[in-house]
Amino acid sequence: MLVNYTSKKLRQILIVSVGILLQCFGISFADEGYMDTYNHHIWRGELELMLMNDFTSPSDLKQEKDGQKDYFSQMLELEYAPTSQLVFEFMLEAFEDIGTGEGKFTGFRYEARYRPFKDEVPLNPTLYLEYEDLHPKTRYKMEVSGWVDPPYEEEGEEPDRERILESRLILSQDFKPFNIAFNWINETDLSSGETAFGYSFGILHRSHPVSLAFEFLGALGDTKKFDIQPSRQEHYFQPSMMIHVGKNSMFNIGFGIGLTKASDNMVRLNYGWMF
């Protein structure tokens, strides 16, 4: 069921949630800097809390097609790694329209990543699986896939909820102090059985207290039409910088620069906490 909140109530819920989780858990975070691309690193015992905030200016195509205006979107993420090969995440999503001030809680995600090889191997393949239960109008960009403007006629009515099974093949290699990672993305709609495809590629330079990352991410169509048609798909260049503030917190700022007519422009701010 979709729950409507005012912007004030939404902020209160996020702040209270952060406070409760910080008091209940000891939290740490990986010395990484990607915003959408995953690499193979998993630290045993890592318990991480992240609050992610985006300001998005929608593309002209989305404004014409869906009537979207500028908005904020948020995600609250809790991650725990019981071993050096397995990690779990739970995420909550929301967004707030700037013009109306109306906010919406849009759903949640469960995620797991598994690294089959404990030691370093070529490309360090890692498997990713995520279950999403989201409102179709959810806004936060964890990935990009499929079409904004499909090159075929869409059938049926839009569902009340989207239940998606997302999988990724993660390939990652360190060339210290650099990491290079590539993600192949599949998003399968559990109702229709259709799968949308996407990609994410990143280069990360690690240093302390500042790390720099450069990512490319975009869509590759779906099982109805696998193709690259930039005027109908989202593709982004995303530079970002992670700053470690002492031993207990981090701040990550990035810019999602739309490369196509269908792409938005974003300012992305992430915060992490630890004891």
Side-chain angles (χ1 to χ4, degrees), residues 30-34 177 203-214 240-244 251-253:
D31 186 18
E32 304 296 331
Y34 293 126
I203 300 175
L204 169 69
H205 180 270
R206 297 189 193 90
S207 61
H208 194 85
V210 178
S211 296
L212 299 175
F214 301 91
S240 63
M241 176 175 61
M242 176 182 282
I243 302 171
H244 293 264
F251 172 79
N252 199 354
I253 180 170

Side-chain angles (χ1 to χ4, degrees), residues 25-36:
F25 298 101
I27 298 171
S28 65
F29 48 82
D31 186 18
E32 304 296 331
Y34 293 126
M35 303 196 91
D36 288 276

Side-chain angles (χ1 to χ4, degrees), residues 76-116:
L76 183 67
E77 172 193 276
L78 179 66
E79 175 179 299
Y80 176 62
T83 76
S84 60
Q85 295 174 262
L86 181 65
V87 62
F88 298 104
E89 290 188 23
F90 175 67
M91 292 160 276
L92 299 172
E93 295 185 31
F95 75 89
E96 177 183 345
D97 283 321
I98 293 176
T100 64
E102 182 182 10
K104 296 180 185 295
F105 170 72
T106 53
F108 59 87
R109 304 172 186 241
Y110 295 102
E111 174 197 313
R113 280 175 282 138
Y114 176 65
R115 179 179 168 183

Side-chain angles (χ1 to χ4, degrees), residues 130-257:
E130 177 182 284
Y131 173 73
E132 307 170 10
D133 187 331
L134 303 170
H135 189 271
K137 299 300 184 183
T138 193
R139 305 282 180 86
Y140 192 85
K141 283 186 174 60
M142 278 284 290
E143 68 286 313
V144 179
S145 66
W147 302 95
V148 174
D149 183 20
Y152 52 77
E153 186 174 346
E154 296 183 280
E155 300 176 357
E157 297 181 357
E158 187 174 65
D160 293 333
R161 302 291 293 177
E162 286 185 346
R163 292 174 175 84
I164 304 292
L165 187 64
E166 178 186 335
S167 61
R168 299 192 188 202
L169 173 61
I170 300 168
L171 303 176
S172 167
Q173 192 74 51
D174 287 335
F175 302 93
K176 294 185 177 179
F178 293 93
N179 172 264
I180 297 177
F182 174 78
N183 297 181
W184 176 269
I185 302 169
N186 308 288
E187 289 197 298
T188 301
D189 188 315
L190 296 178
S191 298
S192 68
E194 297 172 5
T195 298
F197 304 109
Y199 69 90
S200 181
F201 172 77
I203 300 175
L204 169 69
H205 180 270
R206 297 189 193 90
S207 61
H208 194 85
V210 178
S211 296
L212 299 175
F214 301 91
E215 298 172 80
F216 290 91
L217 52 148
L220 297 170
D222 55 25
T223 47
K224 285 187 174 181
K225 181 68 174 180
F226 180 82
D227 199 359
I228 298 178
Q229 296 186 27
S231 64
R232 296 173 176 268
Q233 298 168 323
E234 293 178 275
H235 295 269
Y236 296 92
F237 170 58
Q238 186 166 267
S240 63
M241 176 175 61
M242 176 182 282
I243 302 171
H244 293 264
V245 183
K247 296 181 179 180
N248 300 318
S249 62
M250 54 75 66
F251 172 79
N252 199 354
I253 180 170
F255 301 91
I257 302 170

Side-chain angles (χ1 to χ4, degrees), residues 5-6 18 51 63-64 75 87-89 96 110 120 189 196 202 239 247 261:
Y5 296 102
T6 64
V18 169
L51 178 59
Q63 292 185 43
E64 296 169 3
M75 178 176 286
V87 62
F88 298 104
E89 290 188 23
E96 177 183 345
Y110 295 102
E120 294 279 321
D189 188 315
K247 296 181 179 180
K261 176 184 176 182

Side-chain angles (χ1 to χ4, degrees), residues 42 85 113-119 121 124-127 170:
I42 299 173
Q85 295 174 262
R113 280 175 282 138
Y114 176 65
R115 179 179 168 183
F117 303 99
K118 187 174 183 178
D119 297 326
V121 300
N124 297 292
T126 301
L127 305 177
I170 300 168

